[in-house]
Amino acid sequence: MNKTLEYDCCIVGSGAGAGPVAFELAKAGHKVLVLEKGKWYKEKDFRKDEQLYRHSIFRSKIADERHLLEEPDGDEWSSDTTSQFWGGNIVGGASNFMSGYFHRLKPEDFHLVSTFGKIKGANTVDWPISYDDLEPYYAKVENIVGVSGKVVKHPFLEPRSTDDYPFPPTAEHPIASWFDNTCNQMGLNPLPMARGILSQPFNGRKSCEYSGYCGSYGCASGAKASSRAALLDQAVATGNCEILTESKVYRLTSDNKGNVTSADYFDKGNQSIKVRAKIFVVACYSIESARLLLSSPGEKHKEGLGNNHNQVGKNLHCCAGGTGHGIFQFDQFSQEQVEQLKTRGPFFNRALQDWYFINDKKAFDKPVKGGTIDFVFDPPSPTADANDQKWQGDNLLWGTPLKQKIKSHFTQSKDFKFEVFCDWLTNDNCHVSLAPNEKDKWGSPVAKVKVGFHPHDLKVASYIVKKGKEVMKSLGAKTVTGNAFTSPTSNLIAGGLRFGNDPKTSALDSDCRVHGTDNCFVTDGSFMPNGGSVTPTFTIYANSFRVADKIINQLGK
Amino acid sequence: MLKASNTINSNGSLAKKGSTKAKFVGALSSGLNRRAFLRQSSAAILIAGIAACKPDIKMPTTAEPNQPTPKTGLTDRFSFDSHQQASIKAVQIQLFPEDGDGPSANDINGLDYLEWALTDLDNQEDGDGDFIQKGVGWLDSLSEQTKGSQFIKLSLEQQNEVLQKISQSSAGENWLSLLIYYLLEALLLDPIYGGNPDQIGWQWLQHQPGFPRPNDQTNYRVFQ
């Protein structure tokens, strides 16, 4: 027999889009239920163990659920199933496994069309809100989830309502000062990077322990500002927020006015359960949120919830850009410098935004939006690193030559990395729909993700990757590689349910309410018309706090 | 961090030479997926996360993977027979020799680790144990054909010649590559998993492990 549960607010998903709503509503005294399809792991579970990540312990298995991915393949489209888009399917979602590079968007990101004009073949639109509308919420995120950093005056600094970050910067690797000197000599503006990582204990969370195993590894100290550690634990502590795990929402039902009446989920035993609530919030990652709406037709939503204008799933965007590496050979440096390079634990924490806007007539006939370069370390993965060494050109290497190559890689050089973040222009070939013939283990159609890119992205990314390589070379790297890419990033996907004032060109209104409903909101990265040229998590958090205020206002009526 | 996927489509542009299947799941994996693409060409390394480039192209004759067995503990072992054990051990010492610099395959418990790793559910689904067993038979056939005797009865020099020979084929190269993959896990994974005794691999490579490290109660097999 089916059970029914009742709450003020039911939230689907528990990641960065969900945490702020749960936190704010629970603190305001509203009864909140969070439905998470994964399990609830805690700090003690996040051991620094490559095996945890290699065996998808914290992510959905491809046998259970997957995506159907279509990518450009010459003039054709490839079509294959993949599990690569599962970023973290546990309480706190992918925010457990973020690096926490917390850049704000810039005012211009909210008005790209007005600022730079239209680009043929791109669906870019101005946002229905401005930077000023979001600024107070960036400040709120810094204070509540905990952002560590240092504001320095530079030509690209966003307007701020506060002078500085609430926490001092996390500890820095010696390479950071090399970087500052080099960039200053090159006439660039080296920026300390703010991090969603605590440099000091806060709210029962410990500060960073600098194990050097950050990024893709879960955080064992609670310093990383995951939705789980920074928000949900506190929401639950109010007594007003309940989190149900292994609860997979497969449908939202709606009434004859178009409003959502229930979220239906399968529990661990595959029993279908209905949750009734005044407000529903969907925040289960861009692709999956669009999929849930498409899977939820109703009397007023024949083609899926909010899809009367065929906007649900449209204008998905990945993160365009590229990566590069600089290999520093120890035999080219003094003993003291080598010791500095070998330091493990503190962060690189530097970024360049000198090309966030590009005004270079030699490369582009008019000013264009560019991007950010973050200088980082990859999370250590020694067995993968060693395994990479076994190929010499086309041949497999073994025996003493293999041992020597591995030894040299580990003990005679250090690899620093840069990552370039650019806008992935929204276009008619990048969207989510329901796969016709592929179902998940609960019997629901999986999402089909088509990821066409705009050639402009590659041009911008290549331009900035080249700059990153120049900096690496000047820093003293002997070998410098770098590539712009057009493949989708498997994380950092947003859009698909962009917000706007016109239901014909957007899926959500400016409050992130699903068009055609009064009581259903989407608070993950789906709302973003464009991603900004930075990682979106900080902005997702900020927007979710903004929408939480709208919801509290609505519940109070 | 950026987890860029690498485009390997049906044209297999980045796939290994001679491969018969370009495995998309692996090809597009993020840095965390163990079924990562076969090899990263130096021109196209976009990710260097925790992927470990495990070769997943098997001999054409590979049978269906073994049925996954129930939950395994840290003490389980895959069952090779004694001849297979001796042969694999002999191959492992060729792949990771005692050469005076760094631990050998024996020093890192290469065979013990392999027998344990092959009880892993994912590795079983990949059919690795079956593939490795079949490879031993194949190795012996080639040894007898070209050198007149089983692999383990050959001199070290002759063994190396046989290995060079099998590496010329795509399947043979994948077999060796898979054995190397497990040896490097034995070299560098946490000692809790049976390799890297007394952190001998970490010490040789001056690798500083993260903390907290996995332990008996909290390791990936417990969660699996």
Side-chain angles (χ1 to χ4, degrees):
Chain A
M1 206 180 76
N2 288 352
K3 288 196 290 187
T4 304
L5 307 169
E6 293 214 29
Y7 292 83
D8 291 328
C9 179
C10 172
I11 304 175
V12 183
S14 65
V21 177
F23 176 89
E24 292 285 78
L25 267 63
K27 292 201 76 119
H30 298 294
K31 293 291 178 194
V32 178
L33 177 70
V34 174
L35 295 170
E36 165 57 51
K37 73 180 172 189
K39 295 179 180 171
W40 198 340
Y41 293 98
K42 309 285 172 65
E43 272 73 28
K44 65 177 172 50
D45 298 317
F46 296 121
R47 301 279 160 167
K48 307 300 183 174
D49 179 4
E50 272 183 278
Q51 293 283 64
L52 285 172
Y53 303 96
R54 192 165 306 147
H55 293 272
S56 289
I57 301 298
F58 303 127
R59 306 196 306 167
S60 293
K61 300 256 186 193
I62 192 161
D64 295 338
E65 45 176 355
R66 55 212 155 264
H67 295 106
L68 185 63
L69 182 65
E70 294 186 346
E71 278 200 296
D73 181 13
D75 293 333
E76 314 267 303
W77 292 86
S78 67
S79 179
D80 285 280
T81 54
T82 176
S83 60
Q84 67 151 339
F85 294 122
W86 300 123
N89 305 107
I90 60 173
V91 172
S95 66
N96 286 293
F97 309 110
M98 66 176 178
S99 296
Y101 307 143
F102 271 27
H103 297 283
R104 296 179 176 203
L105 299 196
K106 299 196 189 295
E108 293 83 349
D109 286 314
F110 294 66
H111 304 290
L112 284 184
V113 177
S114 305
T115 310
F116 295 101
K118 279 195 168 299
I119 294 174
K120 200 179 166 196
N123 295 342
T124 319
V125 289
D126 286 353
W127 292 28
I129 63 171
S130 70
Y131 175 83
D132 293 340
D133 295 316
L134 203 56
E135 198 286 334
Y137 296 99
Y138 278 125
K140 196 169 193 173
V141 174
E142 290 172 4
N143 281 302
I144 291 178
V145 313
V147 179
S148 304
K150 180 175 174 358
V151 171
V152 296
K153 291 264 178 279
H154 63 85
F156 332 105
L157 182 65
E158 316 79 45
R160 296 181 56 91
S161 58
T162 56
D163 290 339
D164 212 340
Y165 295 96
F167 301 95
T170 47
E172 285 172 0
H173 191 279
I175 189 86
S177 62
W178 297 23
F179 182 84
D180 290 344
N181 292 337
T182 300
C183 288
N184 286 329
Q185 282 168 17
M186 295 173 80
L188 303 173
N189 294 272
L191 310 178
M193 186 152 55
R195 303 295 298 274
I197 294 174
L198 293 178
S199 56
Q200 294 171 347
F202 175 58
N203 259 347
R205 295 158 56 199
K206 290 189 218 159
S207 57
C208 181
E209 292 173 340
Y210 303 107
S211 78
Y213 277 63
C214 192
S216 313
Y217 291 93
C219 182
S221 69
K224 194 191 284 187
S226 70
S227 168
R228 175 189 53 79
L231 296 166
L232 293 175
D233 285 353
Q234 291 185 68
V236 170
T238 64
N240 292 325
C241 176
E242 195 179 337
I243 299 177
L244 290 181
T245 59
E246 297 181 80
S247 301
K248 159 70 183 176
V249 176
Y250 64 96
R251 179 178 68 196
L252 302 171
T253 57
S254 53
D255 61 18
N256 58 13
K257 290 179 187 144
N259 292 324
V260 175
T261 50
S262 77
D264 300 353
Y265 73 91
F266 291 115
D267 70 5
K268 196 180 175 184
N270 277 337
Q271 188 188 5
S272 178
I273 296 177
K274 263 188 193 309
V275 178
R276 296 196 183 278
K278 294 171 189 154
I279 299 282
F280 293 86
V281 172
V282 177
C284 43
Y285 197 43
S286 284
I287 295 167
E288 292 299 296
S289 292
R291 174 193 178 205
L292 179 60
L293 266 53
L294 289 170
S295 303
S296 304
E299 200 179 319
K300 285 281 165 73
H301 302 277
K302 300 285 187 212
E303 302 299 319
L305 197 73
N307 198 29
N308 288 341
H309 294 285
N310 202 22
Q311 290 296 303
V312 170
K314 298 295 191 296
N315 297 305
L316 188 78
H317 43 94
C318 310
C319 188
T323 56
H325 290 264
I327 314 286
F328 292 70
Q329 293 292 346
F330 292 165
D331 58 12
Q332 310 206 312
F333 296 96
S334 69
Q335 192 53 40
E336 190 190 356
Q337 287 173 314
V338 169
E339 290 311 314
Q340 288 187 359
L341 287 171
K342 280 180 169 177
T343 306
R344 155 87 41 101
F347 299 106
F348 198 143
N349 277 4
R350 285 295 183 274
L352 290 174
Q353 293 196 318
D354 292 81
W355 306 283
Y356 203 86
F357 308 113
I358 302 170
N359 191 356
D360 181 349
K361 288 261 160 45
K362 278 179 277 178
F364 299 92
D365 58 11
K366 60 174 189 173
V368 295
K369 174 69 194 302
T372 300
I373 314 180
D374 286 346
F375 289 80
V376 301
F377 307 131
D378 268 325
S381 54
T383 67
D385 273 0
N387 206 55
D388 284 346
Q389 306 304 313
K390 72 185 174 191
W391 298 105
Q392 185 88 296
D394 270 345
N395 297 314
L396 185 67
L397 209 57
W398 71 80
T400 296
L402 172 65
K403 288 179 73 178
Q404 285 304 309
K405 191 168 172 222
I406 291 171
K407 186 183 176 190
S408 169
H409 175 81
F410 275 80
T411 64
Q412 299 304 315
S413 68
K414 175 87 179 182
D415 181 346
F416 294 96
K417 186 185 185 191
F418 67 87
E419 298 186 334
V420 172
F421 300 84
C422 300
D423 285 278
W424 175 289
L425 291 175
T426 49
N427 63 79
D428 288 345
N429 282 321
C430 192
H431 52 78
V432 177
S433 56
L434 296 180
N437 300 315
E438 192 77 33
K439 292 188 171 170
D440 66 17
K441 71 170 178 179
W442 298 278
S444 309
V446 307
K448 182 169 96 171
V449 189
K450 189 166 186 168
V451 285
F453 69 95
H454 195 293
H456 178 82
D457 299 343
L458 188 58
K459 204 175 161 194
V460 173
S462 302
Y463 182 89
I464 300 174
V465 166
K466 202 172 146 211
K467 303 292 183 187
K469 288 170 71 176
E470 286 168 10
V471 172
M472 276 293 186
K473 235 170 243 166
S474 302
L475 259 177
K478 186 175 181 193
T479 312
V480 177
T481 57
N483 292 87
F485 52 66
T486 55
S487 307
T489 47
S490 61
N491 57 346
L492 313 179
I493 291 175
L497 297 167
R498 74 180 180 190
F499 72 160
N501 293 321
D502 182 357
K504 293 195 182 69
T505 57
S506 59
L508 313 176
D509 71 14
S510 60
D511 293 347
C512 292
R513 193 183 286 104
V514 177
H515 285 311
T517 76
D518 292 335
N519 69 337
C520 184
F521 295 80
V522 177
T523 58
D524 57 21
S526 303
F527 81 99
M528 300 176 82
N530 45 283
S533 300
V534 294
T535 53
T537 313
F538 192 6
T539 299
I540 294 169
Y541 270 142
N543 183 63
S544 183
F545 274 107
R546 183 184 72 92
V547 177
D549 275 356
K550 309 284 181 192
I551 294 172
I552 289 170
N553 191 32
Q554 187 164 324
L555 278 169
K557 277 178 190 165
Chain B
M1 84 187 252
L2 277 170
K3 290 177 189 163
S5 51
N6 217 338
T7 309
I8 303 185
N9 293 322
S10 46
N11 61 14
S13 54
L14 278 178
K16 222 172 111 25
K17 67 178 177 191
S19 61
T20 52
K21 69 181 185 189
K23 193 156 190 168
F24 199 76
V25 176
L28 259 178
S29 68
S30 77
L32 291 176
N33 196 325
R34 66 185 277 284
R35 288 165 173 267
F37 48 90
L38 280 181
R39 54 196 307 193
Q40 299 167 315
S41 83
S42 58
I45 295 177
L46 297 180
I47 55 165
I50 302 175
C53 305
K54 177 178 175 178
D56 61 355
I57 294 173
K58 301 296 165 28
M59 294 163 67
T61 54
T62 300
E64 286 302 302
N66 299 337
Q67 286 300 310
T69 51
K71 195 172 173 70
T72 53
L74 290 176
T75 52
D76 293 344
R77 299 172 79 89
F78 184 88
S79 50
F80 290 118
D81 66 30
S82 57
H83 174 71
Q84 288 166 342
Q85 284 177 332
S87 304
I88 293 165
K89 221 173 155 93
V91 175
Q92 285 182 327
I93 202 73
Q94 289 276 345
L95 298 177
F96 224 73
E98 177 68 65
D99 60 5
D101 190 354
S104 69
N106 292 337
D107 296 331
I108 57 178
N109 299 337
L111 180 63
D112 286 348
Y113 174 78
L114 177 67
E115 290 186 313
W116 172 77
L118 291 176
T119 63
D120 173 86
L121 297 178
D122 292 325
N123 295 339
Q124 287 185 2
E125 276 170 28
D126 290 350
D128 288 353
D130 187 57
F131 177 53
I132 290 171
Q133 277 180 321
K134 280 184 192 309
V136 172
W138 186 36
L139 184 72
D140 274 339
S141 305
L142 189 72
S143 300
E144 280 165 22
Q145 212 174 54
T146 58
K147 307 283 175 193
S149 178
Q150 284 183 330
F151 184 79
I152 50 171
K153 294 183 182 153
L154 304 180
S155 70
L156 291 178
E157 202 170 312
Q158 288 173 316
Q159 286 182 345
N160 186 43
E161 284 165 20
V162 173
L163 294 186
Q164 294 291 352
K165 181 123 186 128
I166 72 161
S167 76
Q168 301 304 308
S169 76
S170 175
E173 190 178 57
N174 274 306
W175 188 74
L176 293 172
S177 175
L178 187 64
L179 288 172
I180 292 173
Y181 170 91
Y182 284 112
L183 278 173
L184 296 177
E185 285 197 341
L187 179 72
L188 283 160
L189 281 181
D190 196 282
I192 181 109
Y193 298 119
N196 190 15
D198 300 323
Q199 308 184 16
I200 189 173
W202 289 347
Q203 282 169 18
W204 177 48
L205 298 177
Q206 300 169 26
H207 173 73
Q208 184 184 318
F211 55 85
R213 286 169 42 197
N215 60 25
D216 284 340
Q217 290 79 44
T218 313
N219 60 69
Y220 92 96
R221 288 253 175 134
V222 173
F223 294 130
Q224 222 173 22

